[in-house]
Amino acid sequence: MPRLVARVGRKAGVEYRLGPEHPRVRLGRHGTNYIQILDSKASREHAEIVYDEGAFILRDLKSRNGTWLNGAPVRRDTVLKPGDRIRIGDNIYELVADAPDEEIEDAEPVEEPEPSGGLRPVGEAPGQAADEGEATSQDEEA
């Protein structure tokens, strides 16, 4: 299920689940909001994200300093898509969709451990130095 990830602000890195289990997510300074924003530029009830028939809709709640989506002010209900960035005061949140499992499994490691516990570049045989087995221009001339 998609989530809102705090990218900038006091809670950077914190993730908030969205979806049917949270059909109306309020953002603002007040402690009763699902996402409390500790920023004097945020209104008590600043904005909300409503889950409606599979879509996430961002709504500004007549906040004093406005809600911004991808650098533009939110003036009416707007459907969100993955990668959208919401700014409230000095805080930025990004809508992130969960990646399919196959994308994670297809990732290639940068390094593999050697049996001795050391690291070597991927594709290099154990005990083979990076320049072993490669002819240099000096070897070819001799």
Side-chain angles (χ1 to χ4, degrees), residues 34-130:
Y34 179 67
I35 301 176
Q36 184 181 23
I37 302 173
L38 302 173
D39 184 329
S40 62
K41 296 176 186 169
S43 297
R44 284 185 213 117
E45 291 185 348
H46 196 101
E48 67 183 1
I49 299 172
V50 178
Y51 180 76
D52 186 24
E53 297 182 22
F56 296 97
I57 300 164
L58 176 64
R59 176 179 300 143
D60 181 75
L61 299 175
K62 299 180 183 175
S63 63
R64 184 175 187 166
N65 294 311
T67 302
W68 298 76
L69 178 63
N70 300 325
V74 175
R75 301 200 191 284
R76 60 180 179 267
D77 290 4
T78 306
V79 176
L80 296 171
K81 60 188 180 313
D84 279 347
R85 288 182 166 242
I86 301 165
R87 182 172 63 82
I88 296 175
D90 294 326
N91 300 269
I92 297 175
Y93 300 87
E94 181 179 357
L95 182 67
V96 177
D98 288 334
D101 291 341
E102 60 269 12
E103 287 182 23
I104 296 168
E105 293 173 359
D106 289 342
E108 292 185 27
V110 175
E111 296 181 333
E112 295 176 352
E114 283 189 344
S116 64
L119 297 176
R120 60 182 166 80
V122 173
E124 184 179 295
Q128 179 184 12

